[in-house]
Amino acid sequence: MMSDTFEPKIVAFVCNWCTYTGADLAGTSRMQYPANVRIIKLPCTGRISPLFIMKALEQGADGVLVSGCHPGDCHYTAGNYHARRKYTIFREMLHFLGVEPERLFFSWVSAAEGRKWADLVAEVTDTVRRLGPRRSAWGEPVEGIAAPRLSANPVPFEAPAGTFAAQAEAMREKAKALLAGGEVGTVIGYEQGTLPGTARPAFVSTPEEVDRLVWNEHCHQNLAVYAARKPAKPGKVALVVKPCDERSLVGLLQENRLAREDVVLIGMACHGVQSEGALAPRCAACQTRTPALADPVIGEATPPTATADPRLEQIARIEQMAPAERWNFWQGHFSRCLKCYACRAACSLCTCERCLAEKAQPRWIPAPPDGAGNLSWHAVRAWHLAGRCVDCGACSAACPADIPLYLLNLKLAQVVKDAFDYEAGRDPAAAPPLTTYREDDAQEFIR
Amino acid sequence: MARVGVFICHCGENIARTVDCARVAEYAATLPGVAHAVDYRYMCSDPGQRLIETAIREHGLTGVVVASCSPHMHEVTFRRTVARAGLNPFLCEMANIREQCSWVHEDREAATAKACELVRLMVEKVKWNTALEPIHVPVTRKALVIGGGIAGIQAALDIANGGREVILVEKGPSIGGHMAQLSETFPTLDCSQCIMTPRMVEVKNHPNITLYTYAEVEKVDGYIGNFAVTIRKKARCVDEALCTGCGECQSKCPQGKLKTSVIPNEFDLGLSRRPAIYVPFPQAVPNVPVIDKEHCRYFQDGKCGVCQKVCPAKAVDFTQTDQVVTEQVGAIVVATGYDVMSSGEYGEYGGGRYPDVIDGLQFERLLSASGPTGGEVKRPSDGKVPETVVFIACAGSRDRSHGVPYCSKICCMYTAKHAMLYKHKVHHGQAYVFYMDIRAGGKNYDEFVRRAIEEEGAVYLRGRVSRLYQKDGQLIVKGADTLSGQPVEIAADLVVLATAIQARPGSDALAQMLKVPYDGYGFLSEAHPKLRPVETNSAGVYLAGACQAPKDIPETVAQASAAASKVLGLFSMEQMEREPTVSVVNERTCIGCFDCERVCPFGAIEHREIRDRRGNLLKVVSHVNEGVCAGCGACATTCRSGSIELRGYTDEQVFAQIAAVGV
């Protein structure tokens, strides 16, 4: 390309049966279009992983085009329906991370639509050419643009006096009975942390040890993280769970990580937990105060007060930012990431035995804790939790670098709710949203 | 170390006109891992292919990239070429520099630069290609046909005559289906039973056909070439081996006394009564009765047993129980047919309330010589010969508000036939037909409808019936003739509704058992509406007849024969060869969340138990059945841990191409 104008590199992922054949038709019909697109052929849009889009951006593509069969025409019946759901979420995620939406294109091009393909390539090339080169490499901040800071107004913490003590007593009694009766081998609950005003997970296996267990506003950890792990002591495990933790278990049940009868749940009616002296932001608008799955439910919950979720306002503010500001906002946070994977370890739904981050062949996520590696890691993590994250807050709480991971997860939960009317962790019998589809799923973003 | 050979084709002038092929070859030679690069005028010609073969041998190539036309054009050609030189065919890739480069770009510089890049992409991909061997799946050369109507009969006979064994399973006590109920068939007016019953007998006597009537498929396991089918043979309470079909039992059954019987005869659609031990119709195959336990006195209160006493062959056996058999088959033809929507579902036309409002299939029985009236047209309420008959087409079809939106396809034709046959039987009678459009596409079909109107005097009124009520022993039909713009009121003796054709109840459950997709109305979906009309997306399962969509007899028979030919094609080999580009699971890292199973459109994901040496269950993981996997890759995309790879399109191969774009 010898002209002075910027010639973008555009990667097109297309399905073999419709779009690739449509592109061939454009050729046999000698339709002229710009030479900027590099086609990578896959059998089906079902095989075109959204992570390929990420990989193309990571490798420096200026624009990405994904194209396959029109709904109803998939050679494999439903690949494009599944793909459409994935792109719906992934695209929103990239936007939220600050990738300019104008660089991503989705289109259905049939084997008969040579004209559509030629026009599409012309339009995509023109659009990206006008946008110019990407302003920064993958994982690098855009120079000269300040990243706005966000803070949320704290909501004061209030719980009815004496409730925690009474609940704690009842919980210990139940735990003792379970251990004494041999029904379980281990009870996982909370104990006093090293510092005052903290609690930490506790594993007790004899009735005598039960007195260590506490229940108070500092018990923020999600103990469901231990549910799918093999206990050190023989016998079943009983978990002390809040209603939000219980939603993790719903996810684990959906994904065959355990069976309901494998675990005893001591459900705690919830008054919210504390974070930095105030009510944890995720508790402010929480409507689920009573466990639904638990075997016994201990205590009675205060009816939820109608408070707005302060985090939604944060999300709205991020969305109002210009893409470059948004990009820099996230690069600023991700630049602190150490790749310690504490977020992964704390997550009750990160149950893979070998995380994609550790897969070396091929390397999905650049290993070093640098710009590209950190961005790809957080994008993959959020993507893998889309439609699964139950908003327990464990990842953000565990992050030593204070990266507001919850914002990303919560945003995707919103997208899933809006697009597919699905909330994670509510119904163990429901099909996870990225494993099913509706023929009439929205597709405004697909040309 | 990879030793890739790159072969740039000029395609005469087709590529060379806009792409400088020599420069592309020069460039390719500089790429890491490329051991040989050359351009040639026609790579697909014999000398061109020999050039590739020689280069593979001389340079010890480990991979080949042919930069020429679309792989849809010549991938097979070049894979064979490399195979001839001893290289695995899946180590050959094509860079499409014709359809997607030289033909769509005019600028020689830009086209040459793009061709170089396309070659680079494929060189990087082919380095990650691995040798793949075709998958061989053994084929049990025996077919199962589900449904014994004309579709199932035709398919079974065609397969059996092709020399393969067939198991034909029919739910009812006799084969024959709806076609056995019909009087005469359009457009030739040949007697349905006259053409049907010889085929039924042929099925019974065919050495290659095992017939299970009064039986249902209960479970289907396995995959193409290797299905295990569980069939429940319901207890007839009559020993098929002993029964001679003399009919003594049914004539003596006290429940069968004509005046007192309360059991509606299903074959006559309730227009007559039958005994509790019965053969559904005189020409039934097998001609063996069955006991309807719900109505049999012996089964209800332990008294009676007359049939057993009178049976000269001692064939009646009240102690008979259901038998469950398992059969191994290699292919399945679904031919479960249709039902007509009951006229009772069309309340506003008096269906279900007025005995003289009947559906088209009931009218067939009134016309049939073997029907309840012996072929005389007599109306159900009082046996009077109707002098005015109103036929209403599209009763339920093409009606989003009351029925179904689709066209039932056969009603225009059979309504014309009804009007004609009625006229043949009741010479002074008058037939009126309310219709929306006449759809008479088919050989001699339109001529047939014209004949009904012009020669047989049926009055066709284009419009819908707005009201229908009883008055003085007649049915008053009010409607509009939209062609003349006049309201119409007809006092009819009988009204026949051409009710919609529907999928059989339970067809959705059957479809789920067979993993065949189905539409919102329960009709089973073909693999491709145009190019694969009898195959389904469940490999080894084929469709015949109205289970797929409403269709008439010639179409049904054609589709059944097509399905049979697909089955015979499959059975032509002892082993079936499948493309090796299927998914494979890394069992070490799979955690068994089975999201892959949820997205697989083909049901190819199986559960595999991983046990330690003592037999303790360690985990349950996904396993891809290579005989079923179609290679779409949806599972690989869905797997979070990256534990599934699609061979031929692995992550490595895709990443290599992506990275090559960025260079």
Side-chain angles (χ1 to χ4, degrees):
Chain A
M1 279 147 239
M2 297 293 155
S3 56
D4 293 335
T5 50
F6 160 63
E7 289 300 341
K9 276 194 185 209
I10 294 154
V11 177
F13 298 102
V14 308
C15 89
N16 176 48
W17 303 97
C18 288
T19 305
Y20 195 87
T21 316
D24 276 355
L25 176 64
T28 33
S29 316
R30 309 297 197 278
M31 293 165 179
Q32 301 297 305
Y33 58 79
N36 301 60
V37 164
R38 303 289 171 264
I39 283 185
I40 295 179
K41 173 168 77 90
L42 290 141
C44 176
T45 39
R47 173 69 187 109
I48 303 174
S49 167
L51 295 181
F52 292 161
I53 304 173
M54 183 189 84
K55 208 71 192 166
L57 293 172
E58 184 192 292
Q59 293 293 318
D62 297 299
V64 180
L65 167 61
V66 178
S67 181
C69 307
H70 284 270
D73 287 354
C74 176
H75 182 77
Y76 307 99
T77 323
N80 52 357
Y81 290 130
H82 285 296
R84 182 169 65 185
R85 281 207 158 195
K86 293 186 167 92
Y87 304 150
T88 302
I89 300 172
F90 200 78
R91 182 177 155 274
E92 290 279 355
M93 184 184 83
L94 289 179
H95 290 184
F96 194 66
L97 288 172
V99 174
E100 295 143 297
E102 298 85 356
R103 295 190 188 273
L104 308 175
F105 303 83
F106 300 86
S107 179
W108 304 134
V109 175
S110 82
E113 292 176 324
R115 181 80 265 160
K116 187 175 178 184
W117 172 254
D119 291 347
L120 180 70
V121 171
E123 191 201 328
V124 168
T125 308
D126 188 50
T127 309
V128 180
R129 193 184 281 138
R130 272 189 286 112
L131 279 172
R134 278 174 44 201
R135 279 172 289 182
S136 78
W138 185 252
E140 301 299 324
V142 179
E143 275 179 39
I145 291 182
R149 296 198 153 273
L150 285 183
S151 57
N153 293 329
V155 181
F157 181 86
E158 293 159 27
T163 44
F164 280 117
Q167 269 183 298
E169 199 44 54
M171 177 265 290
R172 282 191 288 263
E173 231 167 79
K174 178 70 192 172
K176 266 182 199 158
L178 286 169
L179 287 169
E183 204 178 320
V184 302
T186 312
V187 174
I188 308 178
Y190 301 91
E191 65 184 350
Q192 171 62 45
T194 313
L195 300 172
T198 61
R200 67 182 171 217
F203 298 71
V204 299
S205 49
T206 59
E208 298 72 46
E209 288 178 286
V210 166
D211 289 332
R212 267 164 57 201
L213 298 183
V214 300
W215 174 248
N216 55 42
E217 64 273 34
H218 307 300
C219 298
H220 66 83
Q221 294 92 342
N222 179 358
L223 302 182
V225 71
Y226 303 112
R229 299 186 190 174
K230 201 174 173 335
K233 296 267 163 53
K236 264 195 210 182
V237 166
L239 290 177
V240 176
V241 288
K242 301 185 285 295
C244 51
D245 309 339
E246 212 185 51
R247 290 176 62 196
S248 298
L249 284 148
V250 171
L252 294 170
L253 292 173
Q254 280 172 306
E255 293 171 8
N256 303 307
R257 304 311 298 133
L258 78 165
R260 177 63 191 86
E261 60 273 14
D262 292 346
V263 64
V264 175
L265 299 178
I266 306 175
M268 308 303 282
C270 187
H271 309 283
V273 295
Q274 259 197 32
S275 162
E276 295 171 1
L279 183 65
R282 70 191 162 90
C283 302
C286 175
Q287 296 294 308
T288 315
R289 300 298 179 100
T290 309
L293 278 185
D295 304 289
V297 174
I298 292 174
E300 267 180 51
T302 352
T305 42
T307 318
D309 188 336
R311 302 170 307 164
L312 297 184
E313 199 230 336
Q314 288 179 301
I315 288 177
R317 280 174 59 196
I318 296 172
E319 283 168 341
Q320 281 156 15
M321 295 175 192
E325 287 181 315
R326 212 153 56 218
W327 178 262
N328 280 8
F329 169 82
W330 286 112
Q331 300 317 314
H333 282 298
F334 294 156
S335 67
R336 299 195 304 276
C337 176
L338 312 163
K339 284 269 189 84
C340 70
Y341 299 127
C343 45
R344 182 178 74 188
C347 180
S348 50
L349 289 159
C350 275
T351 55
C352 288
E353 285 172 23
R354 193 268 329 260
C355 176
L356 204 62
E358 263 100 43
K359 191 172 182 183
Q361 193 83 58
R363 178 59 78 185
W364 284 84
I365 297 160
D370 60 5
N374 290 351
L375 175 54
S376 291
W377 159 245
H378 288 290
V380 169
R381 197 195 69 86
W383 163 240
H384 280 178
L385 284 164
R388 301 170 67 237
C389 173
V390 296
D391 192 22
C392 72
C395 51
S396 307
C399 179
D402 278 335
I403 301 171
L405 299 168
Y406 62 88
L407 290 172
L408 201 45
N409 294 336
L410 189 60
K411 169 65 191 170
L412 296 194
Q414 278 183 334
V415 175
V416 169
K417 176 91 173 88
D418 291 347
F420 313 127
D421 193 25
Y422 178 90
E423 261 186 281
R426 296 292 183 200
D427 177 8
L434 286 175
T435 63
T436 182
Y437 64 88
R438 283 171 54 109
E439 287 177 10
D440 60 351
D441 278 333
Q443 56 165 28
E444 289 81 26
F445 68 96
I446 304 178
R447 258 95 61 85
Chain B
M1 178 68 191
R3 295 181 59 79
V4 179
V6 182
F7 301 87
I8 319 287
C9 177
H10 294 212
C11 195
E13 280 290 296
N14 278 307
I15 294 170
R17 191 180 299 125
T18 32
V19 171
D20 185 340
C21 296
R23 227 168 80 202
V24 177
E26 266 170 48
Y27 170 79
T30 66
L31 292 171
V34 171
H36 179 69
V38 67
D39 59 306
Y40 186 71
R41 203 167 173 76
Y42 286 108
M43 212 51 94
C44 61
S45 66
D46 266 0
Q49 293 191 46
R50 271 202 302 279
L51 189 99
I52 298 174
E53 288 175 54
T54 316
I56 290 172
R57 293 199 183 96
E58 281 182 4
H59 298 274
L61 300 181
T62 59
V64 163
V65 173
V66 183
S68 59
C69 52
S70 168
H72 289 182
M73 189 80 163
H74 271 315
E75 189 170 68
V76 175
T77 313
F78 291 118
R79 279 189 175 165
R80 284 194 192 131
T81 309
V82 303
R84 277 199 300 276
L87 199 62
N88 184 283
F90 290 89
L91 298 174
C92 170
E93 290 284 349
M94 288 183 74
N96 185 343
I97 59 166
R98 191 180 75 172
E99 282 85 345
Q100 297 182 6
C101 189
S102 72
W103 278 354
V104 290
H105 309 312
E106 280 162 345
D107 184 328
R108 196 171 167 81
E109 276 304 315
T112 304
K114 178 171 168 180
C116 289
E117 288 206 27
L118 293 179
V119 166
R120 185 173 70 214
L121 251 65
M122 277 308 161
V123 166
E124 291 307 322
K125 181 183 182 189
V126 84
K127 288 183 194 169
W128 291 100
N129 280 24
T130 48
L132 302 177
E133 297 302 331
I135 296 160
H136 293 281
V137 182
V139 175
T140 307
R141 295 196 271 187
K142 191 185 209 183
L144 168 74
V145 177
I146 308 174
I150 183 60
I153 288 173
Q154 181 71 30
L157 284 174
D158 282 358
I159 298 168
N161 289 335
R164 300 297 172 199
E165 282 183 64
V166 180
I167 296 160
L168 178 59
V169 175
E170 164 58 42
K171 198 176 187 174
S174 167
I175 56 170
H178 283 313
M179 189 171 160
Q181 292 174 298
L182 306 183
S183 53
E184 292 169 15
T185 55
F186 61 78
T188 45
L189 296 188
D190 35 7
C191 149
S192 184
Q193 293 208 330
C194 309
I195 54 177
M196 184 68 176
T197 44
R199 316 224 83 188
M200 292 161 60
V201 174
E202 204 184 330
V203 165
K204 173 78 183 154
N205 295 334
H206 205 295
N208 280 345
I209 299 180
T210 308
L211 179 61
Y212 290 131
T213 53
Y214 210 47
E216 284 186 62
V217 174
E218 216 166 52
K219 197 168 149 227
V220 176
D221 286 322
Y223 54 95
I224 184 167
N226 300 276
F227 293 106
V229 184
T230 309
I231 300 162
R232 176 175 292 270
K233 286 192 72 185
K234 292 172 280 187
R236 273 180 185 266
C237 299
V238 175
D239 190 323
E240 279 187 60
L242 296 176
C243 176
T244 60
C246 69
E248 195 67 7
C249 52
Q250 16 181 4
S251 63
K252 295 284 163 33
C253 173
Q255 295 289 73
K257 298 271 185 294
L258 266 181
K259 292 210 174 111
T260 52
S261 172
V262 293
I263 316 171
N265 184 341
E266 297 88 352
F267 190 74
D268 285 337
L269 297 130
L271 294 175
S272 68
R273 305 276 174 266
R274 62 158 171 81
I277 182 166
Y278 69 105
V279 174
F281 55 101
Q283 304 90 328
V285 171
N287 187 14
V288 177
V290 53
I291 293 181
D292 170 3
K293 292 186 192 139
E294 252 182 66
H295 292 103
C296 172
R297 273 195 199 162
Y298 180 85
F299 281 100
Q300 291 309 313
D301 47 28
K303 291 170 195 155
C304 193
V306 168
C307 49
Q308 194 175 38
K309 287 177 205 127
V310 300
C311 178
K314 301 282 168 244
V316 176
D317 175 8
F318 294 123
T319 62
Q320 215 178 57
T321 51
D322 289 5
Q323 282 184 320
V324 177
V325 289
T326 305
E327 294 274 4
Q328 305 293 323
V329 297
I332 299 174
V333 177
V334 188
T336 47
Y338 67 96
D339 266 341
V340 291
M341 185 195 240
S342 151
S343 56
E345 284 178 48
Y346 233 84
E348 60 270 55
Y349 288 165
R353 269 182 299 141
Y354 305 145
D356 293 333
V357 176
I358 59 174
D359 64 45
L361 207 47
Q362 288 176 312
F363 195 62
E364 291 286 347
R365 296 309 301 149
L366 291 184
L367 291 169
S368 171
S370 69
T373 55
E376 276 186 73
V377 182
K378 290 177 180 173
R379 66 182 195 176
S381 64
D382 53 8
K384 185 184 150 204
V385 175
E387 295 184 358
T388 309
V389 180
V390 169
F391 296 92
I392 304 177
C394 290
S397 308
R398 307 172 69 201
D399 183 349
R400 282 180 193 280
S401 51
H402 295 94
V404 293
Y406 55 81
C407 167
S408 291
K409 203 167 184 181
I410 60 172
C411 326
C412 284
M413 290 306 297
Y414 79 60
T415 299
K417 179 191 78 178
H418 284 171
M420 207 184 273
L421 292 178
Y422 164 66
K423 192 71 182 172
H424 291 178
K425 303 237 175 196
V426 185
H427 300 309
H428 60 286
Q430 181 60 53
Y432 294 93
V433 177
F434 280 93
Y435 71 101
M436 282 161 74
D437 303 286
I438 298 172
R439 298 182 165 183
K443 191 175 180 180
N444 293 327
Y445 281 17
D446 200 57
E447 296 91 318
F448 183 79
V449 176
R450 303 301 336 159
R451 196 174 123 204
I453 300 170
E454 288 161 11
E455 292 173 31
E456 311 278 359
V459 175
Y460 268 63
L461 299 158
R462 189 181 191 282
R464 303 222 63 162
V465 170
S466 56
R467 218 177 139 211
L468 196 156
Y469 57 93
Q470 249 179 344
K471 192 181 170 191
D472 304 332
Q474 284 198 301
L475 295 156
I476 310 299
V477 183
K478 285 189 167 185
D481 176 4
T482 55
L483 295 180
S484 68
Q486 298 296 314
V488 182
E489 183 175 317
I490 299 162
D493 299 315
L494 181 68
V495 171
V496 181
L497 305 180
T499 53
I501 300 296
Q502 291 180 308
R504 282 261 185 203
S507 59
D508 46 353
L510 179 71
Q512 285 168 13
M513 188 163 34
L514 295 165
K515 301 183 186 100
V516 172
Y518 54 99
D519 68 16
Y521 307 100
F523 289 113
L524 275 55
S525 302
E526 64 283 5
H528 189 283
K530 279 137 198 110
L531 300 178
R532 297 172 71 203
V534 300
E535 291 148 284
T536 67
N537 266 331
S538 190
V541 180
Y542 307 91
L543 303 178
C547 63
Q548 180 254 349
K551 50 176 71 76
D552 60 20
I553 295 167
E555 257 191 286
T556 296
V557 171
Q559 199 192 12
S561 288
S565 82
K566 287 283 170 196
V567 171
L568 289 172
L570 172 68
F571 288 179
S572 64
M573 299 159 290
E574 274 181 31
Q575 286 200 327
M576 188 184 49
E577 203 168 276
R578 307 202 77 206
E579 280 269 305
T581 46
V582 296
S583 289
V584 57
V585 177
N586 180 345
E587 293 179 352
R588 199 174 55 77
T589 56
C590 170
I591 56 164
C593 72
F594 295 109
D595 276 359
C596 48
E597 187 182 20
R598 293 185 170 108
V599 298
C600 178
F602 306 96
I605 303 286
E606 297 171 350
H607 294 211
R608 172 175 281 188
E609 292 182 344
I610 304 285
R611 293 179 181 277
D612 66 13
R613 69 180 85 172
R614 291 194 197 84
N616 298 318
L617 183 66
L618 296 179
K619 62 176 181 177
V620 183
V621 297
S622 287
H623 177 74
V624 176
N625 183 325
E626 295 185 338
V628 184
C629 176
C632 73
C635 53
T637 300
T638 302
C639 181
R640 281 182 293 276
S641 60
S643 299
I644 306 186
E645 281 287 16
L646 176 63
R647 287 186 185 132
Y649 296 96
T650 62
D651 293 334
E652 273 112 335
Q653 289 171 313
V654 178
F655 281 17
Q657 291 178 81
I658 294 173
V661 173
V663 171

